[in-house]
């Protein structure tokens, strides 16, 4: 929770675009549930329009990042 009484949720995976750029997403809300729901919604919206064939199109965060 931050100083404005919001919670943040960060997925530990992001999608790479065709140029290997990664767009990390998160969710923010007044409750943990809302933050997680928004995080999942943002992650789904970030899915590119091309089909994935293997793990090279995903970027995983390190556990040390949290």
């Amino acid at each position: 929770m931050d100083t404005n009484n919001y919670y943040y949720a960060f997925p530990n995976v992001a999608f790479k675009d065709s140029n290997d750029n990664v767009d990390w997403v998160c969710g923010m809300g007044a409750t943990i549930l809302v933050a997680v729901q928004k995080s999942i919604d943002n992650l789904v919206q970030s899915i590119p329009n091309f089909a994935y064939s293997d793990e090279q199109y995903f970027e995983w965060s390190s556990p040390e990042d949290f």
Side-chain angles (χ1 to χ4, degrees):
M1 185 183 315
D2 70 8
T3 57
N4 296 316
N5 296 324
Y6 282 101
Y7 292 92
Y8 297 90
F10 299 90
N12 67 341
V13 65
F15 298 99
K16 293 181 182 179
D17 66 15
S18 58
N19 296 317
D20 278 346
N21 297 313
V22 179
D23 186 20
W24 293 99
V25 298
C26 72
M28 182 178 76
T31 66
I32 293 171
L33 180 60
V34 170
V36 170
Q37 287 173 330
K38 288 183 178 181
S39 175
I40 292 169
D41 289 344
N42 291 336
L43 181 64
V44 169
Q45 289 176 5
S46 73
I47 298 172
N49 292 327
F50 59 90
Y52 292 105
S53 59
D54 58 44
E55 250 186 70
Q56 74 181 18
Y57 298 107
F58 298 90
E59 183 74 23
W60 295 91
S61 63
S62 172
E64 293 82 22
D65 292 341
F66 294 96

